[in-house]
Amino acid sequence: QVQLQDSGPGLVKPSETLSLTCTVSGGSVTSGSYFWSWIRQPPGKGLEWIGYASYSGSTNYNPSLKSRVTISVDTSKNQFSLKLNSVTAADTAVYYCVRIKSGYDYLGGYYYYYMDVWGKGTTVTVPS
Amino acid sequence: QSVLTQPPSASGTPGQRVTVSCSGISSNIGSNTVNWYQQLPGTAPKLLIHTNNERPSGVPDRFSGSRSGTSASLAISGLQSEDEADYYCAAWDDSLKGWVFGGGTKLTVL
């Protein structure tokens, strides 16, 4: 059973770079049909997708964060990571690392994607 | 302001059936499959329903999902106290080229 463990500093100063790592156990980041993603949740608010990366290097980011985000996969360590630069207090949130499963339904003729495994979350605070 | 629209709250008594709606547009729910997540207090979200109406292994059949046009809904039958949680819908948006979520519905079991 695949598990994700996110880790990183809980406090980041304004204008600096937030760096988080997610370690994958019970499976490999090179498994086909999966993307590796980050989601965040500000205090008392809903979920916001940050972006995803595949082990082959393809990436896709939330347009609202694209200029500040980098997500990468390290196959040698079976990890993936998030870097968010120039942080402000608005970036204060719980950050979750997430696995996205993808597939194609041949009967229905459509692609499907869903976030099937979540890490426990890391609280990151950026003081104002 | 979330891209997908959910009611902020819902409630029911034990044993009742409750539904949570999720409204979108043609570029998200109208074109792509919908997933639902349950977030118990103080924990990470958990996949509840995927691909509109599929339950992952271990999710009770009291939970069901449906999609029609640009809307989707989650139904919970035989409501139990442990169902008290926040529920989120999510879908891929072809125009935004990213995942979008509903604002979440807080379910209270009275």
Side-chain angles (χ1 to χ4, degrees), chain A residues 15-46:
Chain A
S15 80
E16 294 192 343
T17 296
L18 179 161
S19 294
L20 297 176
T21 297
C22 186
T23 300
V24 180
S25 60
S28 172
V29 293
T30 60
S31 297
S33 305
Y34 295 111
F35 297 90
W36 306 96
S37 182
W38 292 89
I39 306 288
R40 70 180 183 178
Q41 185 171 34
K45 295 189 178 180

Side-chain angles (χ1 to χ4, degrees), chain A residues 37 39 41 45-49 52 60-63 96 100 105 110-116 118-121, chain B residues 32-33 35 37 39 43-47 49-52 86 88 90 92 96-104:
Chain A
S37 182
I39 306 288
Q41 185 171 34
K45 295 189 178 180
L47 302 169
E48 180 181 31
W49 172 71
Y52 67 72
N60 194 7
Y61 302 128
N62 186 322
Y96 297 102
I100 298 175
D105 186 300
Y110 58 84
Y111 288 95
Y112 58 83
Y113 307 89
Y114 54 90
M115 299 162 187
D116 66 339
W118 295 64
K120 290 185 175 162
Chain B
N32 298 293
T33 58
N35 309 309
Y37 301 90
Q39 187 174 33
T43 69
K46 165 194 160 187
L47 179 65
I49 297 286
H50 69 84
T51 320
N52 302 326
D86 293 325
Y88 293 91
W92 178 262
L96 297 176
K97 291 184 170 43
W99 286 94
V100 292
F101 288 92

